[in-house]
PDB file of all heavy atoms in Angstrom:
ATOM      1  N   ASP A   1     -38.593 -13.212  12.692  1.00 97.00           N
ATOM      2  CA  ASP A   1     -38.591 -11.804  12.328  1.00 97.00           C
ATOM      3  C   ASP A   1     -39.969 -11.458  11.750  1.00 97.00           C
ATOM      4  O   ASP A   1     -40.453 -12.172  10.868  1.00 97.00           O
ATOM      5  CB  ASP A   1     -37.518 -11.474  11.293  1.00 97.00           C
ATOM      6  CG  ASP A   1     -36.099 -11.681  11.795  1.00 97.00           C
ATOM      7  OD1 ASP A   1     -35.843 -11.354  12.981  1.00 97.00           O
ATOM      8  OD2 ASP A   1     -35.280 -12.177  11.018  1.00 97.00           O
ATOM      9  N   LEU A   2     -40.570 -10.352  12.251  1.00 97.00           N
ATOM     10  CA  LEU A   2     -41.904  -9.977  11.756  1.00 97.00           C
ATOM     11  C   LEU A   2     -42.126  -8.511  12.026  1.00 97.00           C
ATOM     12  O   LEU A   2     -41.804  -7.984  13.081  1.00 97.00           O
ATOM     13  CB  LEU A   2     -42.983 -10.803  12.459  1.00 97.00           C
ATOM     14  CG  LEU A   2     -44.454 -10.487  12.110  1.00 97.00           C
ATOM     15  CD1 LEU A   2     -44.714 -10.814  10.625  1.00 97.00           C
ATOM     16  CD2 LEU A   2     -45.394 -11.258  13.013  1.00 97.00           C
ATOM     17  N   VAL A   3     -42.672  -7.828  11.021  1.00 97.00           N
ATOM     18  CA  VAL A   3     -43.040  -6.406  11.149  1.00 97.00           C
ATOM     19  C   VAL A   3     -44.548  -6.286  10.960  1.00 97.00           C
ATOM     20  O   VAL A   3     -45.123  -6.844  10.008  1.00 97.00           O
ATOM     21  CB  VAL A   3     -42.325  -5.521  10.128  1.00 97.00           C
ATOM     22  CG1 VAL A   3     -42.838  -4.090  10.194  1.00 97.00           C
ATOM     23  CG2 VAL A   3     -40.827  -5.554  10.362  1.00 97.00           C
ATOM     24  N   VAL A   4     -45.204  -5.553  11.885  1.00 97.00           N
ATOM     25  CA  VAL A   4     -46.640  -5.258  11.799  1.00 97.00           C
ATOM     26  C   VAL A   4     -46.786  -3.779  11.541  1.00 97.00           C
ATOM     27  O   VAL A   4     -46.333  -2.975  12.337  1.00 97.00           O
ATOM     28  CB  VAL A   4     -47.391  -5.636  13.083  1.00 97.00           C
ATOM     29  CG1 VAL A   4     -48.889  -5.355  12.914  1.00 97.00           C
ATOM     30  CG2 VAL A   4     -47.158  -7.114  13.435  1.00 97.00           C
ATOM     31  N   GLU A   5     -47.373  -3.431  10.405  1.00 96.00           N
ATOM     32  CA  GLU A   5     -47.555  -2.016  10.045  1.00 96.00           C
ATOM     33  C   GLU A   5     -48.949  -1.545  10.395  1.00 96.00           C
ATOM     34  O   GLU A   5     -49.910  -2.337  10.463  1.00 96.00           O
ATOM     35  CB  GLU A   5     -47.269  -1.831   8.563  1.00 96.00           C
ATOM     36  CG  GLU A   5     -45.832  -2.125   8.185  1.00 96.00           C
ATOM     37  CD  GLU A   5     -45.522  -1.852   6.711  1.00 96.00           C
ATOM     38  OE1 GLU A   5     -46.505  -1.637   5.947  1.00 96.00           O
ATOM     39  OE2 GLU A   5     -44.335  -1.848   6.351  1.00 96.00           O
ATOM     40  N   ARG A   6     -49.066  -0.268  10.602  1.00 96.00           N
ATOM     41  CA  ARG A   6     -50.361   0.330  10.975  1.00 96.00           C
ATOM     42  C   ARG A   6     -51.421   0.057   9.907  1.00 96.00           C
ATOM     43  O   ARG A   6     -51.201   0.248   8.729  1.00 96.00           O
ATOM     44  CB  ARG A   6     -50.184   1.852  11.140  1.00 96.00           C
ATOM     45  CG  ARG A   6     -51.169   2.521  12.044  1.00 96.00           C
ATOM     46  CD  ARG A   6     -50.797   3.984  12.294  1.00 96.00           C
ATOM     47  NE  ARG A   6     -49.412   4.098  12.727  1.00 96.00           N
ATOM     48  CZ  ARG A   6     -49.000   3.912  13.974  1.00 96.00           C
ATOM     49  NH1 ARG A   6     -49.828   3.541  14.918  1.00 96.00           N
ATOM     50  NH2 ARG A   6     -47.705   4.080  14.309  1.00 96.00           N
ATOM     51  N   GLY A   7     -52.573  -0.473  10.364  1.00 96.00           N
ATOM     52  CA  GLY A   7     -53.667  -0.763   9.460  1.00 96.00           C
ATOM     53  C   GLY A   7     -53.549  -2.088   8.766  1.00 96.00           C
ATOM     54  O   GLY A   7     -54.460  -2.476   7.999  1.00 96.00           O
ATOM     55  N   GLN A   8     -52.456  -2.815   9.007  1.00 96.00           N
ATOM     56  CA  GLN A   8     -52.253  -4.118   8.350  1.00 96.00           C
ATOM     57  C   GLN A   8     -53.098  -5.208   9.004  1.00 96.00           C
ATOM     58  O   GLN A   8     -53.381  -5.163  10.191  1.00 96.00           O
ATOM     59  CB  GLN A   8     -50.761  -4.471   8.445  1.00 96.00           C
ATOM     60  CG  GLN A   8     -50.337  -5.635   7.578  1.00 96.00           C
ATOM     61  CD  GLN A   8     -48.823  -5.823   7.655  1.00 96.00           C
ATOM     62  OE1 GLN A   8     -48.159  -5.426   8.583  1.00 96.00           O
ATOM     63  NE2 GLN A   8     -48.275  -6.455   6.610  1.00 96.00           N
ATOM     64  N   HIS A   9     -53.474  -6.198   8.191  1.00 97.00           N
ATOM     65  CA  HIS A   9     -54.226  -7.359   8.689  1.00 97.00           C
ATOM     66  C   HIS A   9     -53.401  -8.594   8.380  1.00 97.00           C
ATOM     67  O   HIS A   9     -53.362  -9.051   7.228  1.00 97.00           O
ATOM     68  CB  HIS A   9     -55.600  -7.431   8.022  1.00 97.00           C
ATOM     69  CG  HIS A   9     -56.362  -6.163   8.109  1.00 97.00           C
ATOM     70  ND1 HIS A   9     -57.015  -5.623   7.001  1.00 97.00           N
ATOM     71  CD2 HIS A   9     -56.578  -5.318   9.131  1.00 97.00           C
ATOM     72  CE1 HIS A   9     -57.587  -4.493   7.369  1.00 97.00           C
ATOM     73  NE2 HIS A   9     -57.344  -4.289   8.660  1.00 97.00           N
ATOM     74  N   ILE A  10     -52.723  -9.115   9.393  1.00 97.00           N
ATOM     75  CA  ILE A  10     -51.862 -10.276   9.223  1.00 97.00           C
ATOM     76  C   ILE A  10     -52.589 -11.522   9.724  1.00 97.00           C
ATOM     77  O   ILE A  10     -53.151 -11.520  10.813  1.00 97.00           O
ATOM     78  CB  ILE A  10     -50.539 -10.105  10.013  1.00 97.00           C
ATOM     79  CG1 ILE A  10     -49.757  -8.919   9.452  1.00 97.00           C
ATOM     80  CG2 ILE A  10     -49.711 -11.387   9.984  1.00 97.00           C
ATOM     81  CD1 ILE A  10     -48.439  -8.642  10.199  1.00 97.00           C
ATOM     82  N   VAL A  11     -52.570 -12.539   8.882  1.00 97.00           N
ATOM     83  CA  VAL A  11     -53.182 -13.825   9.288  1.00 97.00           C
ATOM     84  C   VAL A  11     -52.061 -14.875   9.341  1.00 97.00           C
ATOM     85  O   VAL A  11     -51.275 -14.994   8.398  1.00 97.00           O
ATOM     86  CB  VAL A  11     -54.258 -14.283   8.282  1.00 97.00           C
ATOM     87  CG1 VAL A  11     -54.722 -15.689   8.600  1.00 97.00           C
ATOM     88  CG2 VAL A  11     -55.453 -13.313   8.313  1.00 97.00           C
ATOM     89  N   ILE A  12     -51.987 -15.602  10.454  1.00 97.00           N
ATOM     90  CA  ILE A  12     -50.968 -16.620  10.647  1.00 97.00           C
ATOM     91  C   ILE A  12     -51.675 -17.978  10.689  1.00 97.00           C
ATOM     92  O   ILE A  12     -52.612 -18.177  11.451  1.00 97.00           O
ATOM     93  CB  ILE A  12     -50.198 -16.399  11.951  1.00 97.00           C
ATOM     94  CG1 ILE A  12     -49.546 -14.999  11.927  1.00 97.00           C
ATOM     95  CG2 ILE A  12     -49.122 -17.459  12.131  1.00 97.00           C
ATOM     96  CD1 ILE A  12     -48.880 -14.619  13.278  1.00 97.00           C
ATOM     97  N   PHE A  13     -51.220 -18.908   9.860  1.00 96.00           N
ATOM     98  CA  PHE A  13     -51.808 -20.237   9.826  1.00 96.00           C
ATOM     99  C   PHE A  13     -50.740 -21.283   9.732  1.00 96.00           C
ATOM    100  O   PHE A  13     -49.568 -20.979   9.429  1.00 96.00           O
ATOM    101  CB  PHE A  13     -52.866 -20.357   8.675  1.00 96.00           C
ATOM    102  CG  PHE A  13     -52.256 -20.243   7.314  1.00 96.00           C
ATOM    103  CD1 PHE A  13     -51.965 -21.383   6.567  1.00 96.00           C
ATOM    104  CD2 PHE A  13     -52.013 -18.985   6.738  1.00 96.00           C
ATOM    105  CE1 PHE A  13     -51.457 -21.282   5.282  1.00 96.00           C
ATOM    106  CE2 PHE A  13     -51.476 -18.882   5.463  1.00 96.00           C
ATOM    107  CZ  PHE A  13     -51.190 -20.038   4.744  1.00 96.00           C
ATOM    108  N   GLY A  14     -51.094 -22.513  10.011  1.00 96.00           N
ATOM    109  CA  GLY A  14     -50.152 -23.601   9.967  1.00 96.00           C
ATOM    110  C   GLY A  14     -50.606 -24.728  10.839  1.00 96.00           C
ATOM    111  O   GLY A  14     -51.613 -24.635  11.561  1.00 96.00           O
ATOM    112  N   PRO A  15     -49.892 -25.869  10.852  1.00 95.00           N
ATOM    113  CA  PRO A  15     -50.315 -27.033  11.651  1.00 95.00           C
ATOM    114  C   PRO A  15     -50.209 -26.785  13.134  1.00 95.00           C
ATOM    115  O   PRO A  15     -49.505 -25.870  13.586  1.00 95.00           O
ATOM    116  CB  PRO A  15     -49.351 -28.127  11.194  1.00 95.00           C
ATOM    117  CG  PRO A  15     -48.151 -27.397  10.671  1.00 95.00           C
ATOM    118  CD  PRO A  15     -48.661 -26.111  10.081  1.00 95.00           C
ATOM    119  N   SER A  16     -50.898 -27.586  13.910  1.00 93.00           N
ATOM    120  CA  SER A  16     -50.820 -27.506  15.366  1.00 93.00           C
ATOM    121  C   SER A  16     -49.373 -27.718  15.808  1.00 93.00           C
ATOM    122  O   SER A  16     -48.665 -28.561  15.249  1.00 93.00           O
ATOM    123  CB  SER A  16     -51.717 -28.576  16.017  1.00 93.00           C
ATOM    124  OG  SER A  16     -53.080 -28.347  15.692  1.00 93.00           O
ATOM    125  N   GLY A  17     -48.954 -26.951  16.819  1.00 93.00           N
ATOM    126  CA  GLY A  17     -47.620 -27.082  17.321  1.00 93.00           C
ATOM    127  C   GLY A  17     -46.547 -26.366  16.550  1.00 93.00           C
ATOM    128  O   GLY A  17     -45.344 -26.546  16.809  1.00 93.00           O
ATOM    129  N   SER A  18     -46.971 -25.535  15.577  1.00 96.00           N
ATOM    130  CA  SER A  18     -45.981 -24.835  14.745  1.00 96.00           C
ATOM    131  C   SER A  18     -45.451 -23.585  15.387  1.00 96.00           C
ATOM    132  O   SER A  18     -44.507 -22.948  14.875  1.00 96.00           O
ATOM    133  CB  SER A  18     -46.579 -24.501  13.362  1.00 96.00           C
ATOM    134  OG  SER A  18     -47.736 -23.729  13.490  1.00 96.00           O
ATOM    135  N   GLY A  19     -46.050 -23.134  16.534  1.00 97.00           N
ATOM    136  CA  GLY A  19     -45.581 -21.950  17.211  1.00 97.00           C
ATOM    137  C   GLY A  19     -46.409 -20.709  17.016  1.00 97.00           C
ATOM    138  O   GLY A  19     -46.079 -19.621  17.446  1.00 97.00           O
ATOM    139  N   LYS A  20     -47.562 -20.857  16.347  1.00 97.00           N
ATOM    140  CA  LYS A  20     -48.394 -19.700  15.987  1.00 97.00           C
ATOM    141  C   LYS A  20     -48.844 -18.906  17.224  1.00 97.00           C
ATOM    142  O   LYS A  20     -48.650 -17.686  17.322  1.00 97.00           O
ATOM    143  CB  LYS A  20     -49.636 -20.146  15.203  1.00 97.00           C
ATOM    144  CG  LYS A  20     -49.359 -21.018  13.991  1.00 97.00           C
ATOM    145  CD  LYS A  20     -50.619 -21.369  13.235  1.00 97.00           C
ATOM    146  CE  LYS A  20     -51.644 -22.151  14.053  1.00 97.00           C
ATOM    147  NZ  LYS A  20     -51.116 -23.497  14.430  1.00 97.00           N
ATOM    148  N   SER A  21     -49.474 -19.606  18.169  1.00 96.00           N
ATOM    149  CA  SER A  21     -49.996 -18.921  19.347  1.00 96.00           C
ATOM    150  C   SER A  21     -48.870 -18.370  20.227  1.00 96.00           C
ATOM    151  O   SER A  21     -49.014 -17.254  20.797  1.00 96.00           O
ATOM    152  CB  SER A  21     -50.874 -19.877  20.178  1.00 96.00           C
ATOM    153  OG  SER A  21     -52.045 -20.223  19.474  1.00 96.00           O
ATOM    154  N   THR A  22     -47.774 -19.083  20.308  1.00 97.00           N
ATOM    155  CA  THR A  22     -46.643 -18.578  21.092  1.00 97.00           C
ATOM    156  C   THR A  22     -46.108 -17.308  20.472  1.00 97.00           C
ATOM    157  O   THR A  22     -45.796 -16.330  21.172  1.00 97.00           O
ATOM    158  CB  THR A  22     -45.534 -19.640  21.188  1.00 97.00           C
ATOM    159  OG1 THR A  22     -46.076 -20.825  21.783  1.00 97.00           O
ATOM    160  CG2 THR A  22     -44.373 -19.142  22.023  1.00 97.00           C
ATOM    161  N   LEU A  23     -46.006 -17.275  19.149  1.00 97.00           N
ATOM    162  CA  LEU A  23     -45.560 -16.059  18.464  1.00 97.00           C
ATOM    163  C   LEU A  23     -46.512 -14.897  18.788  1.00 97.00           C
ATOM    164  O   LEU A  23     -46.050 -13.788  19.108  1.00 97.00           O
ATOM    165  CB  LEU A  23     -45.533 -16.275  16.940  1.00 97.00           C
ATOM    166  CG  LEU A  23     -45.241 -15.066  16.085  1.00 97.00           C
ATOM    167  CD1 LEU A  23     -43.909 -14.423  16.417  1.00 97.00           C
ATOM    168  CD2 LEU A  23     -45.289 -15.434  14.606  1.00 97.00           C
ATOM    169  N   LEU A  24     -47.792 -15.130  18.711  1.00 96.00           N
ATOM    170  CA  LEU A  24     -48.755 -14.096  19.003  1.00 96.00           C
ATOM    171  C   LEU A  24     -48.568 -13.539  20.417  1.00 96.00           C
ATOM    172  O   LEU A  24     -48.579 -12.329  20.638  1.00 96.00           O
ATOM    173  CB  LEU A  24     -50.169 -14.629  18.833  1.00 96.00           C
ATOM    174  CG  LEU A  24     -51.283 -13.620  18.557  1.00 96.00           C
ATOM    175  CD1 LEU A  24     -51.124 -13.017  17.186  1.00 96.00           C
ATOM    176  CD2 LEU A  24     -52.651 -14.296  18.666  1.00 96.00           C
ATOM    177  N   ARG A  25     -48.385 -14.455  21.352  1.00 96.00           N
ATOM    178  CA  ARG A  25     -48.286 -14.070  22.776  1.00 96.00           C
ATOM    179  C   ARG A  25     -46.970 -13.370  23.111  1.00 96.00           C
ATOM    180  O   ARG A  25     -46.887 -12.666  24.121  1.00 96.00           O
ATOM    181  CB  ARG A  25     -48.472 -15.300  23.652  1.00 96.00           C
ATOM    182  CG  ARG A  25     -49.890 -15.840  23.620  1.00 96.00           C
ATOM    183  CD  ARG A  25     -49.986 -17.260  24.185  1.00 96.00           C
ATOM    184  NE  ARG A  25     -49.780 -17.263  25.621  1.00 96.00           N
ATOM    185  CZ  ARG A  25     -50.711 -17.120  26.530  1.00 96.00           C
ATOM    186  NH1 ARG A  25     -51.996 -16.972  26.150  1.00 96.00           N
ATOM    187  NH2 ARG A  25     -50.440 -17.142  27.822  1.00 96.00           N
ATOM    188  N   THR A  26     -45.946 -13.505  22.261  1.00 96.00           N
ATOM    189  CA  THR A  26     -44.723 -12.737  22.493  1.00 96.00           C
ATOM    190  C   THR A  26     -44.921 -11.257  22.139  1.00 96.00           C
ATOM    191  O   THR A  26     -44.172 -10.416  22.634  1.00 96.00           O
ATOM    192  CB  THR A  26     -43.541 -13.301  21.695  1.00 96.00           C
ATOM    193  OG1 THR A  26     -43.807 -13.196  20.310  1.00 96.00           O
ATOM    194  CG2 THR A  26     -43.240 -14.726  22.085  1.00 96.00           C
ATOM    195  N   MET A  27     -45.893 -10.967  21.288  1.00 96.00           N
ATOM    196  CA  MET A  27     -46.093  -9.576  20.877  1.00 96.00           C
ATOM    197  C   MET A  27     -46.490  -8.655  22.000  1.00 96.00           C
ATOM    198  O   MET A  27     -46.182  -7.461  21.969  1.00 96.00           O
ATOM    199  CB  MET A  27     -47.094  -9.510  19.722  1.00 96.00           C
ATOM    200  CG  MET A  27     -46.615 -10.115  18.436  1.00 96.00           C
ATOM    201  SD  MET A  27     -47.790  -9.815  17.086  1.00 96.00           S
ATOM    202  CE  MET A  27     -47.098 -10.907  15.851  1.00 96.00           C
ATOM    203  N   ASN A  28     -47.218  -9.214  23.005  1.00 94.00           N
ATOM    204  CA  ASN A  28     -47.547  -8.377  24.172  1.00 94.00           C
ATOM    205  C   ASN A  28     -46.932  -8.948  25.452  1.00 94.00           C
ATOM    206  O   ASN A  28     -47.355  -8.610  26.540  1.00 94.00           O
ATOM    207  CB  ASN A  28     -49.063  -8.183  24.318  1.00 94.00           C
ATOM    208  CG  ASN A  28     -49.794  -9.506  24.554  1.00 94.00           C
ATOM    209  OD1 ASN A  28     -49.181 -10.579  24.577  1.00 94.00           O
ATOM    210  ND2 ASN A  28     -51.115  -9.422  24.718  1.00 94.00           N
ATOM    211  N   LEU A  29     -45.928  -9.833  25.267  1.00 94.00           N
ATOM    212  CA  LEU A  29     -45.136 -10.381  26.357  1.00 94.00           C
ATOM    213  C   LEU A  29     -45.974 -11.206  27.345  1.00 94.00           C
ATOM    214  O   LEU A  29     -45.576 -11.339  28.513  1.00 94.00           O
ATOM    215  CB  LEU A  29     -44.390  -9.290  27.115  1.00 94.00           C
ATOM    216  CG  LEU A  29     -43.311  -8.550  26.299  1.00 94.00           C
ATOM    217  CD1 LEU A  29     -42.499  -7.661  27.195  1.00 94.00           C
ATOM    218  CD2 LEU A  29     -42.394  -9.531  25.541  1.00 94.00           C
ATOM    219  N   LEU A  30     -47.103 -11.764  26.878  1.00 94.00           N
ATOM    220  CA  LEU A  30     -47.712 -12.805  27.689  1.00 94.00           C
ATOM    221  C   LEU A  30     -46.812 -14.025  27.742  1.00 94.00           C
ATOM    222  O   LEU A  30     -46.861 -14.811  28.683  1.00 94.00           O
ATOM    223  CB  LEU A  30     -49.087 -13.183  27.112  1.00 94.00           C
ATOM    224  CG  LEU A  30     -50.222 -12.201  27.377  1.00 94.00           C
ATOM    225  CD1 LEU A  30     -51.505 -12.669  26.709  1.00 94.00           C
ATOM    226  CD2 LEU A  30     -50.452 -11.999  28.866  1.00 94.00           C
ATOM    227  N   GLU A  31     -45.980 -14.170  26.712  1.00 94.00           N
ATOM    228  CA  GLU A  31     -44.875 -15.094  26.757  1.00 94.00           C
ATOM    229  C   GLU A  31     -43.585 -14.298  26.569  1.00 94.00           C
ATOM    230  O   GLU A  31     -43.434 -13.612  25.577  1.00 94.00           O
ATOM    231  CB  GLU A  31     -44.966 -16.151  25.634  1.00 94.00           C
ATOM    232  CG  GLU A  31     -46.092 -17.157  25.790  1.00 94.00           C
ATOM    233  CD  GLU A  31     -45.866 -18.114  26.933  1.00 94.00           C
ATOM    234  OE1 GLU A  31     -44.780 -18.110  27.544  1.00 94.00           O
ATOM    235  OE2 GLU A  31     -46.801 -18.892  27.207  1.00 94.00           O
ATOM    236  N   GLU A  32     -42.733 -14.338  27.562  1.00 93.00           N
ATOM    237  CA  GLU A  32     -41.467 -13.608  27.476  1.00 93.00           C
ATOM    238  C   GLU A  32     -40.498 -14.444  26.602  1.00 93.00           C
ATOM    239  O   GLU A  32     -40.189 -15.576  26.935  1.00 93.00           O
ATOM    240  CB  GLU A  32     -40.856 -13.466  28.878  1.00 93.00           C
ATOM    241  CG  GLU A  32     -39.516 -12.745  28.890  1.00 93.00           C
ATOM    242  CD  GLU A  32     -39.628 -11.236  28.823  1.00 93.00           C
ATOM    243  OE1 GLU A  32     -40.681 -10.687  29.204  1.00 93.00           O
ATOM    244  OE2 GLU A  32     -38.642 -10.602  28.408  1.00 93.00           O
ATOM    245  N   PRO A  33     -40.013 -13.879  25.494  1.00 95.00           N
ATOM    246  CA  PRO A  33     -39.087 -14.641  24.687  1.00 95.00           C
ATOM    247  C   PRO A  33     -37.763 -14.862  25.414  1.00 95.00           C
ATOM    248  O   PRO A  33     -37.372 -14.056  26.273  1.00 95.00           O
ATOM    249  CB  PRO A  33     -38.883 -13.762  23.440  1.00 95.00           C
ATOM    250  CG  PRO A  33     -39.335 -12.409  23.836  1.00 95.00           C
ATOM    251  CD  PRO A  33     -40.336 -12.571  24.921  1.00 95.00           C
ATOM    252  N   ASP A  34     -37.087 -15.957  25.099  1.00 95.00           N
ATOM    253  CA  ASP A  34     -35.776 -16.207  25.701  1.00 95.00           C
ATOM    254  C   ASP A  34     -34.742 -15.190  25.205  1.00 95.00           C
ATOM    255  O   ASP A  34     -33.860 -14.800  25.973  1.00 95.00           O
ATOM    256  CB  ASP A  34     -35.304 -17.627  25.341  1.00 95.00           C
ATOM    257  CG  ASP A  34     -36.264 -18.698  25.870  1.00 95.00           C
ATOM    258  OD1 ASP A  34     -36.851 -18.488  26.930  1.00 95.00           O
ATOM    259  OD2 ASP A  34     -36.414 -19.739  25.188  1.00 95.00           O
ATOM    260  N   SER A  35     -34.884 -14.827  23.965  1.00 94.00           N
ATOM    261  CA  SER A  35     -34.007 -13.816  23.396  1.00 94.00           C
ATOM    262  C   SER A  35     -34.717 -13.194  22.211  1.00 94.00           C
ATOM    263  O   SER A  35     -35.655 -13.733  21.661  1.00 94.00           O
ATOM    264  CB  SER A  35     -32.671 -14.395  22.961  1.00 94.00           C
ATOM    265  OG  SER A  35     -32.865 -15.382  21.947  1.00 94.00           O
ATOM    266  N   GLY A  36     -34.257 -11.996  21.844  1.00 95.00           N
ATOM    267  CA  GLY A  36     -34.829 -11.311  20.697  1.00 95.00           C
ATOM    268  C   GLY A  36     -35.497 -10.009  21.067  1.00 95.00           C
ATOM    269  O   GLY A  36     -35.726  -9.722  22.250  1.00 95.00           O
ATOM    270  N   SER A  37     -35.774  -9.212  20.080  1.00 95.00           N
ATOM    271  CA  SER A  37     -36.287  -7.857  20.239  1.00 95.00           C
ATOM    272  C   SER A  37     -37.790  -7.802  19.988  1.00 95.00           C
ATOM    273  O   SER A  37     -38.269  -8.308  18.955  1.00 95.00           O
ATOM    274  CB  SER A  37     -35.563  -6.900  19.272  1.00 95.00           C
ATOM    275  OG  SER A  37     -36.148  -5.623  19.285  1.00 95.00           O
ATOM    276  N   VAL A  38     -38.531  -7.194  20.925  1.00 95.00           N
ATOM    277  CA  VAL A  38     -39.957  -6.903  20.752  1.00 95.00           C
ATOM    278  C   VAL A  38     -40.092  -5.370  20.867  1.00 95.00           C
ATOM    279  O   VAL A  38     -40.008  -4.828  21.952  1.00 95.00           O
ATOM    280  CB  VAL A  38     -40.843  -7.584  21.819  1.00 95.00           C
ATOM    281  CG1 VAL A  38     -42.309  -7.219  21.610  1.00 95.00           C
ATOM    282  CG2 VAL A  38     -40.635  -9.083  21.804  1.00 95.00           C
ATOM    283  N   ARG A  39     -40.256  -4.725  19.722  1.00 94.00           N
ATOM    284  CA  ARG A  39     -40.358  -3.268  19.756  1.00 94.00           C
ATOM    285  C   ARG A  39     -41.769  -2.850  19.356  1.00 94.00           C
ATOM    286  O   ARG A  39     -42.347  -3.308  18.388  1.00 94.00           O
ATOM    287  CB  ARG A  39     -39.346  -2.627  18.803  1.00 94.00           C
ATOM    288  CG  ARG A  39     -37.911  -2.788  19.334  1.00 94.00           C
ATOM    289  CD  ARG A  39     -36.962  -1.810  18.701  1.00 94.00           C
ATOM    290  NE  ARG A  39     -35.650  -1.927  19.344  1.00 94.00           N
ATOM    291  CZ  ARG A  39     -34.629  -1.126  19.104  1.00 94.00           C
ATOM    292  NH1 ARG A  39     -34.783  -0.120  18.239  1.00 94.00           N
ATOM    293  NH2 ARG A  39     -33.480  -1.286  19.690  1.00 94.00           N
ATOM    294  N   PHE A  40     -42.313  -1.926  20.168  1.00 95.00           N
ATOM    295  CA  PHE A  40     -43.608  -1.346  19.901  1.00 95.00           C
ATOM    296  C   PHE A  40     -43.418   0.136  19.712  1.00 95.00           C
ATOM    297  O   PHE A  40     -42.947   0.822  20.637  1.00 95.00           O
ATOM    298  CB  PHE A  40     -44.600  -1.635  21.031  1.00 95.00           C
ATOM    299  CG  PHE A  40     -45.924  -0.980  20.872  1.00 95.00           C
ATOM    300  CD1 PHE A  40     -46.891  -1.524  20.028  1.00 95.00           C
ATOM    301  CD2 PHE A  40     -46.227   0.216  21.535  1.00 95.00           C
ATOM    302  CE1 PHE A  40     -48.109  -0.889  19.874  1.00 95.00           C
ATOM    303  CE2 PHE A  40     -47.456   0.835  21.399  1.00 95.00           C
ATOM    304  CZ  PHE A  40     -48.392   0.290  20.545  1.00 95.00           C
ATOM    305  N   GLU A  41     -43.756   0.641  18.534  1.00 92.00           N
ATOM    306  CA  GLU A  41     -43.577   2.062  18.165  1.00 92.00           C
ATOM    307  C   GLU A  41     -42.163   2.534  18.547  1.00 92.00           C
ATOM    308  O   GLU A  41     -41.959   3.624  19.062  1.00 92.00           O
ATOM    309  CB  GLU A  41     -44.642   2.904  18.817  1.00 92.00           C
ATOM    310  CG  GLU A  41     -46.047   2.613  18.276  1.00 92.00           C
ATOM    311  CD  GLU A  41     -47.127   3.565  18.741  1.00 92.00           C
ATOM    312  OE1 GLU A  41     -46.962   4.130  19.853  1.00 92.00           O
ATOM    313  OE2 GLU A  41     -48.102   3.751  18.009  1.00 92.00           O
ATOM    314  N   GLY A  42     -41.172   1.655  18.295  1.00 89.00           N
ATOM    315  CA  GLY A  42     -39.789   2.020  18.449  1.00 89.00           C
ATOM    316  C   GLY A  42     -39.185   1.794  19.821  1.00 89.00           C
ATOM    317  O   GLY A  42     -37.967   1.858  19.997  1.00 89.00           O
ATOM    318  N   THR A  43     -40.012   1.504  20.823  1.00 91.00           N
ATOM    319  CA  THR A  43     -39.517   1.261  22.176  1.00 91.00           C
ATOM    320  C   THR A  43     -39.325  -0.233  22.388  1.00 91.00           C
ATOM    321  O   THR A  43     -40.169  -1.050  22.045  1.00 91.00           O
ATOM    322  CB  THR A  43     -40.498   1.806  23.225  1.00 91.00           C
ATOM    323  OG1 THR A  43     -40.553   3.246  23.099  1.00 91.00           O
ATOM    324  CG2 THR A  43     -40.045   1.454  24.641  1.00 91.00           C
ATOM    325  N   GLU A  44     -38.212  -0.616  22.978  1.00 93.00           N
ATOM    326  CA  GLU A  44     -37.893  -2.016  23.240  1.00 93.00           C
ATOM    327  C   GLU A  44     -38.610  -2.502  24.471  1.00 93.00           C
ATOM    328  O   GLU A  44     -38.543  -1.868  25.549  1.00 93.00           O
ATOM    329  CB  GLU A  44     -36.382  -2.200  23.411  1.00 93.00           C
ATOM    330  CG  GLU A  44     -35.949  -3.614  23.689  1.00 93.00           C
ATOM    331  CD  GLU A  44     -36.208  -4.532  22.506  1.00 93.00           C
ATOM    332  OE1 GLU A  44     -35.538  -4.381  21.463  1.00 93.00           O
ATOM    333  OE2 GLU A  44     -37.104  -5.414  22.635  1.00 93.00           O
TER     334      GLU A  44
END
C-alpha cells in the first residue's frame, strides 16, 4: 500500500532483491501486478 501526493518526494531504499524496482515499475504498469489497485488521479 502506498500513496504518492502532489509535490511529494519519496525515496525507497533497501537491500537488493527487496522489490524496490518492481514496486516502482508497477506505478506505470511496466510491470503488471498480479492483483491490486493502481490508481492515478482516481482512475483505476
